[in-house]
C-alpha cells in the first residue's frame, strides 16, 4: 500500500461509500475501507476519527465557503442577499463527484439512525456557520439565526432539485431559487 500517495482522503470517501452500498454501513469496517482505498489503517485515522465522519467529510470546507460568500457580499446586502452569496460560493465547489455520490450517501444515511443523527448535526453546523458570519456583518442575533436556518433549508432543497436536473446543471441557481421560495413562503406567514 502506498502510504503517501495523493488523494487519500478522497479515495477513502469513495471506498467507504462503495462499501456502505455493497455491505451496509454497520457491516463495513475501517480496515475494509482502508484496503479498498489502497491506504493503511493509520492513514485512515490521520484523516478521520471514525467511519461516521466519512459522510460529513466536506462539512468544514462547505462551512468555510458559505461564510466566505457571506463575508464577501456587498455591505449593502440584506441578510438573505448575503446568504444567497454564501450559497453561490458553496455551490461553486459542488461538481460531478457530489452528484454521483449523493444518492448512495443518502441511502446509507437513511438506513442507519446513527448516521441520521450525524446528518442532522451537519445541518446544525451549517446554520451556525452562516449565523456567525451574519453576526460578524452586524446582523442582529435573531435575524442572523433565522437567515442561517433559511440558508440551510435552501441548500438542502436546492441540492435535492439539482440532483434531479440535467447532469451539466450548476447547483447555485437551484439553491438561490429555493432561498427565494422560502423568503416568499415566510412572508405569507404574517
Amino acid at each position: 500500500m502506498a502510504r503517501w500517495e495523493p488523494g487519500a482522503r478522497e479515495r477513502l470517501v469513495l471506498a467507504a461509500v462503495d462499501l456502505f452500498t455493497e455491505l451496509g454501513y454497520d457491516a463495513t469496517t475501517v480496515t475494509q475501507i482502508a484496503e479498498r482505498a489502497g491506504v493503511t489503517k493509520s492513514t485512515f485515522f490521520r484523516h478521520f476519527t471514525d467511519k461516521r465522519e466519512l459522510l460529513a467529510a466536506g462539512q468544514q470546507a462547505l462551512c468555510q465557503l458559505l461564510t466566505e460568500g457571506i463575508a464577501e457580499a456587498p455591505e449593502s446586502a440584506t441578510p438573505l442577499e448575503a446568504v444567497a452569496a454564501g450559497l453561490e460560493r458553496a455551490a461553486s465547489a459542488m461538481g460531478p463527484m457530489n452528484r454521483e455520490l449523493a444518492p448512495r450517501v443518502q441511502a446509507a444515511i437513511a438506513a442507519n439512525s446513527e448516521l441520521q443523527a450525524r446528518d442532522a448535526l451537519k445541518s446544525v453546523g451549517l446554520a451556525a456557520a452562516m449565523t456567525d458570519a451574519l453576526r460578524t456583518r452586524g446582523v442582529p442575533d435573531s435575524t442572523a439565526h433565522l437567515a442561517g436556518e433559511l440558508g440551510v433549508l435552501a441548500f438542502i432543497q436546492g441540492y435535492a432539485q439539482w440532483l434531479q436536473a440535467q447532469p451539466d446543471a450548476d447547483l447555485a441557481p437551484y439553491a438561490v431559487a429555493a432561498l427565494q421560495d422560502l423568503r416568499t413562503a415566510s412572508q405569507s406567514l404574517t
Side-chain angles (χ1 to χ4, degrees):
M1 283 184 232
R3 283 185 54 180
W4 302 108
E5 203 171 315
R9 185 175 179 87
E10 292 78 14
R11 288 195 323 276
L12 284 163
V13 170
L14 290 171
V17 171
D18 286 344
L19 287 165
F20 295 163
T21 301
E22 294 167 20
L23 307 174
Y25 173 80
D26 290 328
T28 301
T29 67
V30 168
T31 301
Q32 291 169 316
I33 295 168
E35 286 175 0
R36 175 76 61 99
V39 300
T40 64
K41 195 171 171 182
S42 63
T43 298
F44 175 94
F45 288 113
R46 218 178 0 264
H47 291 281
F48 302 101
T49 57
D50 57 36
K51 67 181 183 178
R52 287 176 306 164
E53 193 179 320
L54 282 158
L55 296 180
Q59 182 177 358
Q60 184 177 5
L62 186 56
C63 284
Q64 182 176 346
L65 291 167
L66 288 165
T67 58
E68 287 173 355
I70 290 169
E72 294 169 3
E75 251 183 73
S76 61
T78 67
L80 285 182
E81 289 169 344
V83 168
L87 292 172
E88 289 173 343
R89 178 73 169 259
S92 69
M94 300 291 176
M97 183 173 145
N98 299 92
R99 275 184 91 115
E100 178 189 327
L101 291 180
R104 295 186 300 172
V105 169
Q106 290 170 346
I109 291 169
N112 185 285
S113 59
E114 182 182 346
L115 295 179
Q116 291 169 15
R118 183 87 170 192
D119 194 50
L121 287 176
K122 179 180 176 182
S123 293
V124 169
L126 295 175
M130 286 190 274
T131 299
D132 289 344
L134 289 164
R135 284 183 186 133
T136 299
R137 290 177 61 91
V139 175
D141 283 347
S142 59
T143 304
H145 184 73
L146 180 58
E149 292 291 336
L150 287 174
V152 170
L153 287 173
F155 185 82
I156 291 168
Q157 289 178 5
Y159 193 81
Q161 292 168 355
W162 175 63
L163 292 176
Q164 303 303 315
Q166 296 293 336
D168 61 343
D170 290 329
L171 171 57
Y174 292 95
V176 171
L179 183 63
Q180 183 56 42
D181 289 346
L182 290 166
R183 179 183 188 168
T184 301
S186 69
Q187 291 170 343
S188 70
L189 294 174
T190 58

